[in-house]
């Protein structure tokens, strides 16, 4: 049975990037190698590397930067081994370079086994190594963050003096988190209920906005929402705006008629009839997921109240720390967990600083 060790990373290491001068190498040099340490600091230090699929995603850039920054802070020369044909070729290159340890995603089981057989320490960042060939797997939390999200949305609804209402989990696949989300609401905020709505597969943005706006218009007791993937927050915010506009148009056309209440369903399994007062306006507190230019713009405009941050940077930085411990002969757990933080207005700055630094280092603007 593998041991699982939750890890709280020292802020002084993980977020050192926020206030420090970026590593003094060009973007191309960072893709090939990092050796910006003074000679006296790296004398005798062993090379560590990161076998990485440089797919152009923000997650990949975040992990590369987290690895390079942590290696610099720990005093190791470090090199990125980009996967071109296959991961095995990158491992072979690292072996030729005399690497003492590698970061390799758990999705590349064969490459991890090859590095292990070559005598290199291996730490798997973000995705666990299911075969057990890696010395340590550094994985992202998969459950506790959902409870924190659910409670955060419900608490905000409580601050709005809501005593009932529903919370919507929306995205390409809400099922990945809905069960835990619903469980948390039932345990801590039983006055609220949860519902999920999936984006139609293959639908374009306009179609997705239209279908969600119609759903919101017809389910006006929804007062909280979690957009559970990076692309869904802009869709959800625009759908909310359209639903609000259309509801106002409906009211203008028929000012003298009261807002209709839904007919109660007599079946014992039906949800309780919503409070008619909840149906008189569309007002939804939205939480988003993932760092992107679009999501940060929504956050800055107060269109979304909080962002769940995918801990790519933290996972890679922690993986480098685990390599350091292995190379020093210190005991490590088989599995280390990093948290998925929920960023609010008073805590977003440190994540935004890293995001902007990554964009600058890798010329992503």
């Amino acid at each position: 049975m593998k041991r699982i060790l939750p890890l709280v990373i020292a802020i002084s290491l993980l977020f050192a990037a926020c206030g420090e001068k970026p590593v003094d190498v060009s973007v191309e040099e960072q893709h090939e190698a990092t050796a910006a340490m003074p000679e006296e600091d790296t004398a005798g230090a062993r090379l560590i590397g990161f076998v990485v699929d440089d797919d152009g995603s923000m997650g990949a850039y975040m992990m590369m930067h987290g690895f390079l920054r942590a290696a610099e802070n720990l005093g190791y020369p470090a090199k990125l081994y980009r996967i071109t044909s296959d991961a095995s070729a990158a491992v072979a290159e690292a072996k030729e370079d005399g690497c003492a340890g590698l970061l390799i995603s758990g999705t590349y089981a064969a490459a991890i086994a090859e590095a292990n057989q070559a005598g290199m320490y291996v730490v798997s960042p973000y995705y666990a190594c299911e075969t057990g060939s890696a010395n340590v797997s550094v994985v992202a939390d998969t459950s506790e963050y959902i409870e924190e999200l659910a409670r955060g949305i419900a608490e905000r609804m409580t601050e709005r003096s809501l005593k009932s209402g529903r919370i919507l989990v929306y995205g390409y696949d809400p099922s990945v988190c809905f069960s835990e989300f619903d469980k948390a609401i039932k345990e801590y905020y039983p006055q609220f209920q949860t519902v999920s709505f999936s984006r139609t597969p293959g639908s374009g943005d306009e179609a997705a906005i239209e279908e969600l706006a119609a759903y919101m218009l017809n389910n006006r007791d929804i007062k909280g929402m979690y957009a559970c993937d990076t692309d869904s927050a802009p869709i959800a915010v625009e759908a909310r705006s359209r639903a609000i506009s259309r509801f106002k148009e409906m009211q203008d056309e028929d000012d003298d008629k009261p807002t209709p209440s839904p007919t109660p369903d007599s079946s014992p399994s039906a949800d309780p009839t919503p409070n008619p007062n909840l149906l008189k306006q569309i007002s939804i507190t939205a939480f988003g997921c993932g760092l992107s230019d679009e999501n940060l713009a929504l956050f800055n405009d107060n269109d979304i109240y909080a962002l769940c941050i995918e801990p790519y940077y933290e996972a890679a930085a922690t993986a480098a720390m685990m390599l350091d411990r292995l190379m020093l002969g210190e005991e490590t757990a088989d599995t280390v967990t990093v948290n998925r933080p929920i960023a609010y207005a008073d805590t977003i700055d440190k994540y935004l600083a890293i995001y902007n630094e990554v964009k600058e280092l890798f010329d992503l603007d």
Side-chain angles (χ1 to χ4, degrees):
M1 181 68 69
K2 291 188 175 182
R3 293 174 295 143
I4 300 179
L5 175 65
L7 181 67
V8 178
I9 307 167
I11 296 297
S12 60
L13 172 62
L14 279 182
F15 297 108
C18 299
E20 293 181 359
K21 182 179 178 180
V23 181
D24 189 21
V25 291
S26 67
V27 173
E28 182 61 30
E29 287 172 330
Q30 285 195 54
H31 278 276
E32 298 299 332
T34 294
M37 310 293 294
E39 184 175 350
E40 61 268 23
D41 290 340
T42 57
R46 293 181 288 175
L47 178 68
I48 60 175
F50 185 6
V51 174
V52 59
D53 180 11
D54 186 1
D55 59 2
S57 68
M58 179 54 66
Y61 289 126
M62 283 281 190
M63 285 202 287
M64 286 189 276
H65 181 45
F67 165 71
L68 293 172
R69 180 62 70 192
E72 179 190 29
N73 289 340
L74 291 166
Y76 288 99
K79 183 174 180 179
L80 298 173
Y81 295 93
R82 287 179 292 176
I83 299 172
T84 52
S85 56
D86 57 54
S88 296
V91 171
E93 183 183 352
K95 181 180 177 181
E96 291 179 3
D97 289 344
C99 261
L102 285 174
L103 268 61
I104 307 176
S105 169
T107 57
Y108 298 104
I112 291 175
E114 291 167 3
N116 190 267
Q117 292 167 5
M120 289 181 275
Y121 293 109
V122 180
V123 178
S124 176
Y126 207 85
Y127 301 104
C129 176
E130 302 296 341
T131 64
S133 298
N135 298 95
V136 181
S137 288
V138 178
V139 299
D141 164 47
T142 58
S143 60
E144 290 185 6
Y145 84 100
I146 299 175
E147 178 181 308
E148 183 181 350
L149 270 169
R151 295 177 67 175
I153 296 173
E155 180 60 29
R156 178 58 184 159
M157 290 167 63
T158 301
E159 291 172 356
R160 293 167 53 199
S161 300
L162 292 169
K163 294 180 172 54
S164 62
R166 290 192 292 171
I167 302 173
L168 172 66
V169 180
Y170 170 75
Y172 288 105
D173 186 13
S175 65
V176 299
C177 64
F178 181 77
S179 178
E180 290 293 325
F181 197 101
D182 184 55
K183 178 182 175 182
I185 292 299
K186 286 178 177 176
E187 180 176 356
Y188 297 104
Y189 293 88
Q191 70 271 35
F192 301 132
Q193 295 176 301
T194 54
V195 64
S196 66
F197 186 79
S198 300
R199 177 173 176 171
T200 299
S203 63
D205 288 353
E206 180 61 27
I209 292 168
E210 279 295 310
E211 68 177 358
L212 182 57
Y215 183 82
M216 290 175 173
L217 185 61
N218 293 314
N219 294 271
R220 296 190 296 279
D221 59 325
I222 292 174
K223 301 301 176 185
M225 174 172 55
Y226 173 47
C228 64
D229 47 70
T230 303
D231 295 336
S232 291
I235 300 295
V237 169
E238 179 59 28
R240 180 182 61 187
S241 178
R242 289 191 190 182
I244 291 171
S245 296
R246 288 173 186 172
F247 186 53
K248 287 181 178 178
E249 291 172 2
M250 290 167 54
Q251 290 178 313
D252 291 341
E253 291 173 0
D254 200 4
D255 281 337
D256 295 332
K257 293 183 180 180
T259 302
S261 299
T263 302
D265 191 326
S266 59
S267 63
S269 60
D271 291 339
T273 302
N275 181 340
N277 290 326
L278 295 177
L279 307 179
K280 293 180 180 179
Q281 64 174 332
I282 296 174
S283 178
I284 304 171
T285 294
F287 278 39
C289 175
L291 289 173
S292 68
D293 289 346
E294 294 83 0
N295 286 353
L296 287 169
L298 294 174
F299 187 90
N300 290 335
D301 291 339
N302 295 317
D303 288 320
I304 52 179
Y305 191 76
L307 273 175
C308 176
I309 308 296
E310 296 285 355
Y312 295 113
Y313 180 94
E314 292 88 339
T318 303
M321 292 169 63
M322 293 301 102
L323 271 184
D324 176 54
R325 294 184 64 172
L326 289 166
M327 292 164 65
L328 292 175
E330 297 178 2
E331 184 178 355
T332 63
D334 296 324
T335 304
V336 173
T337 303
V338 291
N339 294 328
R340 298 175 191 248
I342 314 300
Y344 296 89
D346 59 344
T347 58
I348 190 68
D349 285 351
K350 58 189 176 184
Y351 306 106
L352 180 60
I354 292 175
Y355 178 78
N356 287 334
E357 187 174 85
V358 167
K359 291 180 65 178
E360 180 180 354
L361 289 172
F362 294 98
D363 196 22
L364 303 183
D365 286 323

